[in-house]
Amino acid sequence: MAHSARRDSPELPDFSVLKRLARDQLIYLLEQLPGKKDLFIEADLMSPLDRIANVSTLKQHEVDKLYKVEYKPVVSTSDQLCFLIRPRIQTVKWVCDVVNADKAAGKFKRYKIIFTPQKFYACETVLEEQGIFGDVSTDEWAFYLLPLDEDIINLELPEFFRDNFLVTMHTGSEIPSLSSARCCKHFETMVYESWREQVKEGEQKARQAEVGTVFLIDRDVDFVTPLCSQVVYEGLVDDIFRIKCGCVEFGPDVTSSDKSIKVMLNSQDKVFNEIRNEHFSNVFGFLSQKARNLQTAYDKRRGMDIKQMKTFVSEELKGLKQEHRLLSLHIGASESMMKKKTKQDFQELLKTEHSLLEGFEIRECISFIEEHINRQVSYLKLCPLSLYFFTGLLPKDYRSLKAQYLQSYGVDHLLTFANLKQLGLLVEQQPGETLTVMESKMGKLVNDKTAGKLTDAFSSLAKKSNFRALSRRLSLVPKSDEEYDLRVPRDMAYIFSGAYIPLSCKLIEQVLERDGWTGLEEVTRLLNGHEFAVTGSNGADLRPQSDAQRIILVMFLGGCTFSEISALRFLGRERGYKFIVLTTAITNSARLIEAMLDNHV
């Protein structure tokens, strides 16, 4: 089932050291508050923390009790309280309320706030305004990079997309030793410039490069891909069960018991590693064959003598039992997903998405969207509507669909539409308004720094409305008259049932083939990006045809999907590359739209 990598594929760097460094730093910070202490952890840090330092590790360093930050009075009786939080004003104000409540009650305790990944001046200002600046000690845990697997590193910044593409709050980032960088759009440019400044400030010593090329991609370069329904196994598991920090919780419907089980999903799970990148239609066949092979392995116990049985028990039985347990869980998960995803609604959704991508049967697509809006189908939300805009939304259809959506879901979603407009996800194009007119408008705004957000919105609009031209130029949509064998995929389109090659991944493929942006000038114009290519070792020793040249780091700013990761793995197997995906978060269609549904901007 799983496709083997080419024999000449390079070995990936060992990223486990990142976990050890993060754990050691956290332990050091906790020990700055000696003695027993209670630890309050912000909700979105609990899963990442579990991957770095589990409960037993924290207990070893005098953490007595753990609490989730819930923005209500605390019940801790400890004399020392430690808060592990993001640098958010709301959370800092809650900490101030806790401290002031203790002071009013005559309780004198020691308090420590650990901000991650860094502390902001604004947070310290709140502490000063609330009169507790001298009552608490503050520090920062520089926890940026969480390895989820051998080829996935997550920054665990789910709010990055909203903060940077709606609120426009810029932050720096960390990039490893590289030989060349290839970017498009503006946030990647800022990340690269931030890295260059760090290199200038530090002492760069010559060393063997571990990464040959780095791609920096803004999420708004390709909104179409995360808006499409995922059909590879790992993507479906994420859509239905929600993978958090590489871990998923399977409920009773999967475990066939009254208990839920948490399972780590990575390459160490032999069953999962075989099917994670496969189209869902191929998964059951593999699992069935795996079950037969497992039974055969068990059956060979028959006829063994005592010595052979002893060897079997000591060397093979434990592994077979573990594999049997994992196989049962993935079969249960597949059956659960099958029940949900083979319903007529989902099949019609896939058909609608494919028709929108191909530009056919648009009237039927509109009828599908209208029907589901009126039925208030929750999973649909705005994804096909946004996808329709990318692929050519007419003004009259926009107004009609918007009115129906507001009538069905409520006028409070007017702000949602405003958010989508700002991103360029949903915009009504005026009749006769061409790209040239839009570029003219942007040209007038680009020199006005105070109109930065508006400029970005127009820029995004101009780019998104060119999907058809980009699709033709890059052959993103395979010809529909050709039969596509999902069992033997011929290109990255298999991740969407042969209907669409992810734009983000196609750009990477083209740049690697051409060793730069030469010949892609028309594509970059249609994307309206700020692409650039930088080459040079920057002090690193990069030998011709070395393994490092075939290790590619792809950084997604704003999140990436498991479908894109599967596509890059396929490309790597075909071309002899190894891809490392570094992302601010794992996203999908639901999370992308949820960011817009949150009404505080």
Side-chain angles (χ1 to χ4, degrees):
M1 167 65 67
H3 306 281
S4 59
R6 285 174 33 161
R7 292 182 179 180
D8 62 345
S9 294
E11 292 294 322
L12 290 171
D14 180 12
F15 294 112
S16 61
V17 65
L18 297 173
K19 287 185 182 180
R20 294 196 297 271
L21 288 172
R23 182 176 61 249
D24 291 346
Q25 186 189 16
L26 178 62
I27 290 172
Y28 172 79
L29 293 173
L30 290 172
E31 289 178 345
Q32 300 307 299
L33 196 63
K36 287 190 176 294
K37 63 191 78 67
D38 285 353
L39 180 62
F40 291 82
I41 309 167
E42 199 150 10
D44 63 352
L45 287 172
M46 298 193 80
S47 293
L49 179 62
D50 192 49
R51 293 293 301 268
I52 298 297
N54 56 27
V55 174
S56 61
T57 301
L58 296 174
K59 294 283 187 183
Q60 291 172 12
H61 296 277
E62 298 187 290
V63 172
D64 188 20
K65 296 179 181 178
L66 288 87
Y67 299 91
K68 182 171 71 174
V69 171
E70 295 182 318
Y71 302 103
K72 61 183 182 181
V74 302
V75 295
S76 172
T77 58
S78 175
D79 292 332
Q80 297 194 118
L81 305 183
C82 186
F83 303 89
L84 180 61
I85 62 174
R86 299 283 192 191
R88 297 175 178 137
I89 299 298
Q90 178 191 9
T91 312
V92 175
K93 286 184 176 180
W94 171 77
V95 174
C96 293
D97 291 340
V98 171
V99 176
N100 284 325
D102 285 345
K103 289 168 68 176
K107 299 176 183 178
F108 299 98
K109 301 181 179 182
R110 293 184 65 188
Y111 307 94
K112 183 178 184 65
I113 302 176
I114 301 175
F115 292 104
T116 187
Q118 61 188 107
K119 61 181 177 181
F120 295 150
Y121 173 75
C123 296
E124 294 183 326
T125 300
V126 172
L127 296 175
E128 189 172 358
E129 290 174 348
Q130 297 294 319
I132 68 163
F133 187 79
D135 299 312
V136 300
S137 60
T138 62
D139 220 318
E140 61 182 22
W141 180 33
F143 169 52
Y144 287 98
L145 306 175
L146 175 64
L148 298 182
D149 208 342
E150 60 183 15
D151 61 349
I152 306 175
I153 304 174
N154 198 343
L155 274 71
E156 287 300 328
L157 296 172
E159 294 185 352
F160 181 95
F161 173 76
R162 182 180 185 81
D163 289 342
N164 285 272
F165 293 96
L166 277 176
V167 184
T168 321
M169 180 187 72
H170 309 317
T171 59
S173 185
E174 298 181 356
I175 303 178
S177 176
L178 54 96
S179 65
S180 63
R182 310 182 189 280
C183 314
C184 54
K185 282 301 293 175
H186 47 285
F187 288 115
E188 287 91 340
T189 307
M190 288 188 292
V191 169
Y192 177 77
E193 290 172 351
S194 174
W195 172 77
R196 290 289 298 170
E197 290 175 2
Q198 293 178 37
V199 170
K200 290 179 181 178
E201 292 174 1
E203 185 178 345
Q204 185 80 348
K205 298 180 180 178
R207 62 182 184 274
Q208 182 68 38
E210 293 184 279
V211 175
T213 303
V214 175
F215 286 89
L216 306 172
I217 302 177
D218 276 337
R219 182 68 273 172
D220 68 350
V221 164
D222 175 17
F223 273 137
V224 171
T225 299
L227 287 172
C228 293
S229 300
Q230 301 191 88
V231 287
V232 292
Y233 182 77
E234 190 169 14
L236 275 172
V237 171
D238 185 43
D239 283 351
I240 295 176
F241 300 103
R242 183 67 182 269
I243 300 174
K244 294 183 179 180
C245 295
C247 185
V248 66
E249 184 172 353
F250 289 134
D253 59 327
V254 172
T255 62
S256 300
S257 66
D258 57 351
K259 295 181 179 179
S260 295
I261 298 177
K262 286 188 176 181
V263 180
M264 196 67 68
L265 298 179
N266 54 35
S267 55
Q268 301 302 310
D269 180 339
K270 294 181 180 179
V271 177
F272 175 70
N273 195 46
E274 292 277 347
I275 59 177
R276 65 191 309 179
N277 303 311
E278 296 297 327
H279 191 279
F280 189 62
S281 62
N282 299 330
V283 170
F284 267 109
F286 167 79
L287 294 177
S288 298
Q289 183 60 48
K290 193 75 174 177
R292 288 192 290 270
N293 294 343
L294 200 60
Q295 187 61 50
T296 301
Y298 274 121
D299 290 344
K300 73 178 186 179
R301 295 175 298 177
R302 298 169 183 172
M304 287 183 177
D305 57 29
I306 295 178
K307 184 177 180 181
Q308 291 172 327
M309 181 64 72
K310 184 178 179 180
T311 302
F312 175 79
V313 171
S314 62
E315 296 180 3
E316 297 183 45
L317 186 58
K318 184 178 179 181
L320 289 174
K321 285 185 176 180
Q322 172 70 0
E323 195 169 348
H324 182 268
R325 185 183 74 88
L326 294 172
L327 181 62
S328 298
L329 286 172
H330 289 297
I331 289 175
S334 298
E335 289 175 341
S336 179
M337 290 190 292
M338 182 69 77
K339 292 175 184 177
K340 297 174 182 177
K341 293 299 186 181
T342 55
K343 292 180 180 178
Q344 186 176 2
D345 275 355
F346 183 68
Q347 295 303 315
E348 290 180 358
L349 175 60
L350 290 180
K351 180 182 177 182
T352 298
E353 290 178 357
H354 295 174
S355 296
L356 288 172
L357 291 167
E358 294 171 359
F360 299 141
E361 301 178 345
I362 299 300
R363 286 297 106 190
E364 288 81 355
C365 295
I366 293 175
S367 297
F368 173 86
I369 295 172
E370 288 176 333
E371 177 189 350
H372 286 70
I373 286 176
N374 294 328
R375 286 170 50 193
Q376 296 184 325
V377 177
S378 59
Y379 74 81
L380 187 75
K381 295 185 178 177
L382 292 175
C383 298
L385 190 55
S386 297
L387 193 60
Y388 182 23
F389 165 70
F390 280 102
T391 55
L393 177 61
L394 299 175
K396 64 176 183 178
D397 294 332
Y398 172 85
R399 291 191 292 270
S400 173
L401 291 171
K402 178 182 177 181
Q404 291 180 64
Y405 191 91
L406 293 174
Q407 289 171 1
S408 184
Y409 293 93
V411 294
D412 54 326
H413 283 281
L414 278 170
L415 186 53
T416 299
F417 276 86
N419 291 343
L420 292 167
K421 277 190 176 183
Q422 186 169 330
L423 277 175
L425 275 166
L426 277 178
V427 179
E428 177 186 6
Q429 297 186 48
Q430 298 303 318
E433 188 162 41
T434 64
L435 178 61
T436 303
V437 175
M438 295 302 300
E439 289 173 339
S440 175
K441 289 183 178 181
M442 287 186 292
K444 294 176 182 179
L445 289 170
V446 75
N447 294 324
D448 185 357
K449 294 182 179 179
T450 62
K453 287 187 181 180
L454 189 57
T455 303
D456 289 343
F458 276 112
S459 173
S460 190
L461 167 60
K463 170 173 64 67
K464 303 307 183 301
S465 59
N466 284 317
F467 175 78
R468 286 272 172 259
L470 282 168
S471 179
R472 288 192 297 270
R473 178 73 60 175
L474 295 172
S475 301
L476 299 180
V477 178
K479 295 180 180 179
S480 57
D481 56 347
E482 297 180 4
E483 186 176 350
Y484 199 100
D485 188 353
L486 294 171
R487 292 171 297 181
V488 188
R490 60 174 180 263
D491 54 31
M492 293 182 286
Y494 87 93
I495 68 167
F496 292 121
S497 305
Y500 168 66
I501 300 174
L503 172 58
S504 56
C505 301
K506 188 69 174 181
L507 285 172
I508 292 169
E509 178 190 52
Q510 290 294 302
V511 172
L512 288 175
E513 282 184 359
R514 302 164 187 268
D515 194 26
W517 294 95
T518 304
L520 295 173
E521 293 81 6
E522 179 64 15
V523 170
T524 58
R525 187 190 73 80
L526 292 169
L527 285 170
N528 197 47
H530 301 277
E531 79 295 331
F532 67 87
V534 180
T535 58
S537 62
N538 295 313
D541 177 18
L542 190 70
R543 298 166 187 160
Q545 302 303 319
S546 68
D547 283 352
Q549 284 184 306
R550 291 180 290 125
I551 295 179
I552 314 298
L553 175 65
V554 182
M555 183 175 187
F556 287 91
L557 293 167
C560 78
T561 65
F562 281 117
S563 294
E564 287 168 305
I565 295 173
S566 293
L568 290 175
R569 287 172 179 151
F570 176 88
L571 179 62
R573 289 193 301 269
E574 293 292 302
R575 306 296 174 86
Y577 293 115
K578 279 291 183 72
F579 285 94
I580 303 166
V581 175
L582 174 61
T583 179
T584 53
I586 299 295
T587 191
N588 58 17
S589 58
R591 273 166 237 155
L592 187 69
I593 298 301
E594 281 170 6
M596 304 301 100
L597 295 175
D598 189 1
N599 287 337
H600 67 278
V601 179

